[in-house]
């Protein structure tokens, strides 16, 4: 394992003005990001759009990394019409996280330093077992492996930024399952959309732990987060909503209070650019503060499972992921 272990940082509490109702714009009020470059995946809908908008409004040049470039171009045009003249530049790049060739093309096309990488894109609870062309289960491939390949491919650009930040958008859904290393692709277990989603979101958190371990000497920090319960997003586009309603009614799925898109993007933006978390790495945040550990899923609407921050799990996942994306 390369790099030194990062120096442990104290529990990070939200500033008095930050919390569940804080918006992304509130987080970056007065912050100047001119001269910084950012990539936001999944920036054609939901909190990805708001994350890109607020970073650009603060002066960052932002690349919207999206699967459908036409949709990305429409979002960029709309944002450019809304942003102030001093805002950063918006560009659109094609990135299909289920297609390793497009990840490689995106990485190859990137030149110069990268200061902020927000791994935001994702899919949730796809009802049927689906595999990528290289045989990986769809949710794990899109939510984790594609982002892993992207971040490791962009590592030289992140290291060149001298203080880059990597943000991994996880979810309270990680409480549905740890990473099941012996059966990542559901070749032995019956497929379940929620445990599949859960292990992919646990992987998002473990990626941040692993990157924090390996990339500290490069000046890179990496953290994961739960954005909140946001209805206005395309994340649930594959879901059977009647099944979800029944799941909630049964008590199997507990949901935190709802948030707007503007509130949902706040923790991503905090970790991407706020001076209040300078140097913090390898942590899991929610509501703009470090999450508390939870011992079991039953009834939990907040918090982080210990297995999602375990260094041994993170090291194992890193090795497995390197082999799968090679």
């Amino acid at each position: 394992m390369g790099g030194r272990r990062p120096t442990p940082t104290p529990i990070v509490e939200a500033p008095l003005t930050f919390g569940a109702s804080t918006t992304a714009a509130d987080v970056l009020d007065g912050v100047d990001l001119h001269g910084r470059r950012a990539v936001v995946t999944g920036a054609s809908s939901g909190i990805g759009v708001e994350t890109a908008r607020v970073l650009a409004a603060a002066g960052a040049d932002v690349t919207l990394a999206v699967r459908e470039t036409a949709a990305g171009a429409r979002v960029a045009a709309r944002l450019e019409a809304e942003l102030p003249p001093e805002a950063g530049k918006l560009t659109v790049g094609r990135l299909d996280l289920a297609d390793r060739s497009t990840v490689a093309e995106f990485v190859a096309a990137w030149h110069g330093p990268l200061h902020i990488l927000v791994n935001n894109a994702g899919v949730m609870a796809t009802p049927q077992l689906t595999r990528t062309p290289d045989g990986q289960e769809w949710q794990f491939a899109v939510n984790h492996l594609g982002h892993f390949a992207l971040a490791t491919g962009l590592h030289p650009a992140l290291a060149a930024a001298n203080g880059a930040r990597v943000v991994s958008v996880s979810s309270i859904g990680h409480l549905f399952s740890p990473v099941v290393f012996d059966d990542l692709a559901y070749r032995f277990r019956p497929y379940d959309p929620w445990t599949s989603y859960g292990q992919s979101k646990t992987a998002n958190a473990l990626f941040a732990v692993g990157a924090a371990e390996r990339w500290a000497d490069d000046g890179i920090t990496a953290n994961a987060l739960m954005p909140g319960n946001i209805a206005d997003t395309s994340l649930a586009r594959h879901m059977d909503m009647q099944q979800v309603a029944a799941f909630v009614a049964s008590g199997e799925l507990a949901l935190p209070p709802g948030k707007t898109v503007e509130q949902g993007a706040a923790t991503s933006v905090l970790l991407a650019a706020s001076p209040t978390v300078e140097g913090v790495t390898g942590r899991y945040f929610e509501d703009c503060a470090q999450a508390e550990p939870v011992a079991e899923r039953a009834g939990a609407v907040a918090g982080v499972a210990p297995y999602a921050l375990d260094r041994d799990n993170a090291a194992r996942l890193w090795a497995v992921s390197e082999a799968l994306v090679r």
Side-chain angles (χ1 to χ4, degrees):
M1 184 189 308
R4 60 174 173 79
R5 289 182 182 267
T7 301
T9 50
I11 297 294
V12 181
E13 298 181 353
L16 293 179
T17 54
F18 292 173
S21 62
T22 298
T23 67
D26 294 335
V27 169
L28 292 193
D29 185 28
V31 175
D32 184 2
L33 297 181
H34 286 92
R36 299 192 196 183
R37 305 169 74 203
V39 169
V40 181
T41 70
S44 60
S45 65
I47 64 172
V49 174
E50 181 65 6
T51 300
R53 185 189 73 80
V54 172
L55 291 173
D61 293 333
V62 182
T63 297
L64 283 60
V66 298
R67 186 168 54 88
E68 297 180 4
T69 54
R74 288 192 294 271
V75 169
R78 174 169 61 82
L79 293 181
E80 285 168 347
E82 300 169 358
L83 288 167
E86 65 274 14
K89 178 183 177 183
L90 295 174
T91 57
V92 177
R94 182 167 183 264
L95 180 72
D96 183 345
L97 292 164
D99 182 347
R100 246 184 281 161
S101 67
T102 75
V103 178
E105 289 166 3
F106 187 95
V107 169
W110 188 269
H111 299 287
L114 174 60
H115 303 84
I116 298 166
L117 173 60
V118 183
N119 290 332
N120 166 82
V123 293
M124 181 167 67
T126 49
Q128 303 297 325
L129 174 60
T130 306
R131 300 192 192 281
T132 59
D134 58 347
Q136 300 306 314
E137 188 276 319
W138 189 265
Q139 292 192 80
F140 189 75
V142 171
N143 295 348
H144 169 62
L145 289 176
H147 280 129
F148 179 86
L150 177 68
T152 53
L154 290 172
H155 173 255
L158 292 162
N162 190 27
R165 298 190 188 186
V166 179
V167 179
S168 187
V169 179
S170 181
S171 167
I172 193 172
H174 81 276
L175 298 180
F176 282 112
S177 178
V179 174
V180 181
F181 289 101
D182 292 326
D183 192 21
L184 293 173
Y186 286 84
R187 298 189 183 278
F188 297 91
R189 299 177 283 164
Y191 175 74
D192 176 79
W194 291 105
T195 59
S196 167
Y197 179 67
Q199 81 163 356
S200 75
K201 293 289 104 179
T202 294
N204 290 154
L206 289 173
F207 166 76
V209 175
E213 291 270 343
R214 286 158 181 76
W215 297 348
D217 284 343
D218 299 312
I220 300 168
T221 60
N223 292 285
L225 70 116
M226 156 64 172
N229 174 18
I230 304 119
D232 188 13
T233 175
S234 65
L235 180 63
R237 62 190 178 275
H238 299 292
M239 293 168 57
D240 180 335
M241 298 315 292
Q242 290 184 332
Q243 180 189 53
V244 174
F247 205 25
V248 173
S250 71
E252 287 294 314
L253 176 63
L255 293 175
K259 287 187 178 184
T260 66
V261 168
E262 292 79 9
Q263 293 166 340
T267 308
S268 294
V269 168
L270 176 98
L271 295 173
S274 173
T276 64
V277 292
E278 185 73 34
V280 174
T281 192
R283 302 303 181 90
Y284 179 98
F285 279 65
E286 61 192 357
D287 295 340
C288 295
Q290 190 175 330
E292 296 289 338
V294 294
E296 61 181 23
R297 176 167 65 86
V301 294
V304 59
Y307 56 70
L309 294 177
D310 183 87
R311 288 179 170 180
D312 291 335
N313 288 346
R316 186 177 182 185
L317 178 65
W318 197 280
V320 167
S321 301
E322 283 185 325
L324 290 175
V325 305
R326 189 169 297 150

